[in-house]
Amino acid sequence: MKKLGFLMAVAVSCMVNAQVITGIVLSKEENKPVPYANIGVEKDRLGTVSDASGKFVLDVSAVDQRKNIRVEIAGYEPFSMNVADFIRQNPHQIVLNEKVTHIKEVKLSPKKLVDKNWGSNTKNKSVNYIVNPEFNKESFFGETALQFTTKKRAKIKRINLNVAQFNSNEPVVMRYSIYSDENNLPGKSILQEDITAELTADQIKDGVFSLDVNDRNIWVQGKFYVGIQFLKAFDGNVRLSAALFKTGYLRQFYGDWEKVSIAAPAINIDVKVDKTAKNESDESSDFGSNATAGKVLHLNDADIYYESYGKGEPLFLLHGNGGSISDFSKEIPELSKHFRVIAMDTRGQGKSTDATTEPLTYIKFADDVKALADQLGMKKINILGWSDGGNTGLEFAIKYPDRVNKVITSGANVVPEGLGDQEVQNMKNEVAAKVAQHKPESEIRLIQLMIDEPKITKEQLNNIRAKVLVVAGENDMILPSHTEYIAKEIPGSEIKIYKGASHGVPVERAEELSKDVIEFIKKK
């Protein structure tokens, strides 16, 4: 698609009675098939993708014929036609003009560009985003996107996908898309041409599939989204490393984008940032991999990695299961203006190691927090804990009441059933599957932790002396009744439910949460 004014034609025939549309997507000028175009119904989850030969089949029998058919692929103006008209006109051609974009050349000295990596870098093998065509054929062609933010202009050099397992003897065809922001959701594509790749086992290096897009001249600024879509069914499955509780965005073809915060695939990008811009990037601090701020506490059975920012009253940040310091990337800049922030990777997660073999416990995690506070000479600390980190914060307040001032929990639970019986059963099933597949114990222990723990009693909650702010999202995976129970049983505690938020409050409501944390800790 290098020539401007390039045209695409869709030759379509249909079986009117069954209302099954069949066709082929062609480029008019060169009369060649156009593979992997999205064909679907506007404002609907129904759709398909043309194959490598440009052919497609779409059953619109159950579709409201007042809706429109849409054909779309990066670099072309989208085509739209009423479903009823689309069915009646047989055969016919649909001609799309290629988008004509005049791109101003950007010339920057290499000295003015800084290399950065943004996004999710987890190589978690225990939490996976599973791509399996046979598991759910309807949702297989759906698209997943992650949000990024930068106040400086940046050029995307590479898109990286962390792959935990690749189980296919054939190439897995996928597409990357880059979207602008519209009302905090993915908007229009900013690409000038389609980015399609074939993923094979030999292309995965150290658990990462990296695609060079430097020559695509993709510049971004402000909020933007990187999306991934699998385009062709295959035998087998692919397991992508996933960041637990990180916010992602999902849609099926031309249906609405939906925000989800259970787990998002580990997509990250290598960029060149224009350091001459006036504002600093929101993503540029490299929290979780900052060599200047990072140190290691060496224990007998673990090395605990942590980073320190700011000055003042100590505030420990404790991430969720399978997470890392980077989960608080949106909070650290603001919180470090008011407190000495100590962000730590929990043992066996992030950059922290764990040499133990016995089952993990939140009490053990709390002991690690105390050990780090001791090392830093901190007699009394505050804690902001997300999910598992909130559980650890409560265990710390119970075991070390004289060492804690205030605790803020987001999406915490005090017994496994706080997640709901079905969620607990799902985790048991996942552990059983991993055991049957002889997966490493390290992959199993973190999930088993959530099945077995915590075991905090009502009496223990009643005896907590620290001031506690209990936070949860309105649509949190923790049962609302359980969150209310925790707040009710801790004397003098406060509770806040973030309207419209899920379990991912620290990601979805970072600015509001930071403000609430600051006010809560500073309040006498």
Side-chain angles (χ1 to χ4, degrees), residues 188-327:
K188 295 179 180 178
S189 172
I190 65 172
L191 295 177
Q192 302 307 310
E193 57 183 321
D194 209 35
I195 301 178
T196 303
E198 291 190 351
L199 173 61
T200 57
D202 62 336
Q203 292 176 311
I204 302 169
K205 308 297 183 184
D206 191 28
V208 179
F209 170 63
S210 185
L211 183 66
D212 189 335
V213 295
N214 190 55
D215 62 348
R216 305 296 184 108
N217 203 35
I218 305 169
W219 286 86
V220 291
Q221 190 168 17
K223 286 184 182 178
F224 65 97
Y225 302 78
V226 178
I228 182 172
Q229 180 186 16
F230 291 87
L231 302 173
K232 179 183 176 183
F234 59 92
D235 291 330
N237 64 78
V238 177
R239 292 175 177 263
L240 307 179
S241 294
L244 196 62
F245 310 136
K246 188 174 181 64
T247 299
Y249 301 81
L250 302 176
R251 75 165 176 176
Q252 297 293 320
F253 289 98
Y254 302 119
D256 294 333
W257 285 98
E258 299 176 6
K259 182 188 291 186
V260 294
S261 295
I262 297 177
I267 300 173
N268 61 88
I269 54 177
D270 294 326
V271 299
K272 287 276 191 184
V273 181
D274 177 8
K275 68 179 182 180
T276 63
K278 295 180 180 179
N279 297 315
E280 294 184 358
S281 167
D282 287 346
E283 302 277 352
S284 64
S285 296
D286 299 324
F287 299 118
S289 57
N290 188 331
T292 302
K295 293 183 179 180
V296 177
L297 169 66
H298 299 287
L299 302 176
N300 291 334
D301 57 5
D303 286 341
I304 304 299
Y305 177 80
Y306 68 97
E307 294 178 359
S308 176
Y309 300 93
K311 297 179 180 179
E313 192 174 348
L315 173 59
F316 277 59
L317 305 186
L318 310 179
H319 62 76
N321 192 292
S324 69
I325 291 168
S326 64
D327 293 349

Side-chain angles (χ1 to χ4, degrees), residues 53 73 110 217 270 288 314 332 355 503 510:
S53 301
I73 190 168
N217 203 35
D270 294 326
I332 292 173
H503 193 66

Side-chain angles (χ1 to χ4, degrees), residues 307-318 335-336 338-343 369 372-374 376-384 396 403-408 517 521-522:
E307 294 178 359
S308 176
Y309 300 93
K311 297 179 180 179
E313 192 174 348
L315 173 59
F316 277 59
L317 305 186
L318 310 179
L335 294 178
S336 61
H338 303 267
F339 312 107
R340 183 178 178 189
V341 171
I342 306 297
V369 174
L372 181 53
D374 289 343
L376 298 174
M378 296 174 175
K379 301 299 183 183
K380 212 162 193 177
I381 66 173
N382 301 289
I383 294 174
L384 167 59
F396 188 92
R403 301 296 300 276
V404 63
N405 179 31
K406 294 185 179 182
V407 176
I408 302 95
V517 169
I521 294 176
K522 290 190 173 184

Side-chain angles (χ1 to χ4, degrees), residues 443-482:
E443 291 189 25
I444 299 172
R445 293 173 79 207
L446 281 173
I447 304 174
Q448 190 65 49
L449 168 67
M450 295 186 289
I451 296 172
D452 298 336
E453 294 260 337
K455 300 173 183 176
I456 299 174
T457 66
K458 178 180 178 180
E459 182 180 4
Q460 287 176 311
L461 291 176
N462 294 162
N463 289 330
I464 290 178
R465 302 203 307 264
K467 296 294 184 182
V468 178
L469 172 60
V470 179
V471 167
E474 181 183 27
N475 304 312
D476 209 295
M477 65 190 301
I478 303 299
L479 299 177
S481 58
H482 189 71

